[in-house]
Amino acid sequence: MEENHMGVNENHLFLRSFIQDPKQVGSVTPSSRFLARSMVNQAPWYEIKAVAELGSGTGAITRIMNTKVTNTTKVLLFEMDTTMRNNLKAEYPNYSCHRNAAHLVETMKNSNIDEHRFISPSNLEDYLSPFNIHFK
């Protein structure tokens, strides 16, 4: 098994976190690098001034996103698991790490991010359609 950039075996960390608190950790394994790359490549990064990643986990998507954002892009990472959040803070010191995504709008306001310029339910399908995810 491969270790991530944080020096922690991702699968072991996810499984341990899931066993400790299954309601808090939504998966027993992190996203694959193929899924992460596919998801991140769908975004129009040249237009993005701010991004919030909800449930950043061990940083599978964060690592790919890190190659796309500019130095001026504000990045908010949300992760409830303390160990994973601390690892993200160490790996991405220029990103803002937070515990609870329920405070997303408040966090955006405190970071001077216009909350009207993010993916919302009204335009979410546009971003998910390449994955054949559609809403009825």
Side-chain angles (χ1 to χ4, degrees), residues 1 18 38 41 51 62 77-78 81 89 95 108 125 133:
M1 289 185 176
F18 180 80
S38 181
N41 286 340
V51 62
T62 314
L77 303 177
F78 290 86
D81 183 89
K89 286 179 185 179
Y95 295 174
M108 290 172 65
E125 187 168 1
I133 298 172

Side-chain angles (χ1 to χ4, degrees), residues 9-123:
N9 182 293
E10 289 183 354
N11 292 329
H12 175 66
L13 179 58
F14 253 83
L15 183 58
R16 185 184 73 202
S17 296
F18 180 80
I19 290 168
Q20 288 175 346
D21 194 351
K23 290 182 181 178
Q24 182 175 301
V25 180
S27 176
V28 294
T29 61
S31 299
S32 73
R33 66 180 184 265
F34 306 107
L35 174 63
R37 190 175 302 120
S38 181
M39 290 174 62
V40 170
N41 286 340
Q42 297 303 315
W45 291 102
Y46 55 90
E47 298 174 11
I48 295 175
K49 305 292 183 227
V51 62
E53 182 184 4
L54 312 183
S56 302
T58 56
I61 293 171
T62 314
R63 274 191 291 285
I64 306 299
M65 189 172 59
N66 188 50
T67 67
K68 303 290 185 179
V69 298
T70 68
N71 291 339
T72 60
T73 306
K74 291 184 181 180
V75 179
L76 307 176
L77 303 177
F78 290 86
E79 176 53 53
M80 293 187 77
D81 183 89
T82 304
T83 301
M84 291 185 202
R85 188 172 61 255
N86 288 337
N87 288 343
L88 289 164
K89 286 179 185 179
E91 185 75 16
Y92 304 100
N94 295 329
Y95 295 174
S96 178
C97 293
H98 306 274
R99 182 181 188 283
N100 196 338
H103 303 291
L104 175 63
V105 173
E106 178 185 339
T107 302
M108 290 172 65
K109 286 179 182 177
N110 291 339
S111 300
N112 296 316
I113 298 170
D114 179 7
E115 72 252 30
H116 296 99
R117 297 194 43 98
F118 65 95
I119 297 173
S120 65
S122 63
N123 65 3

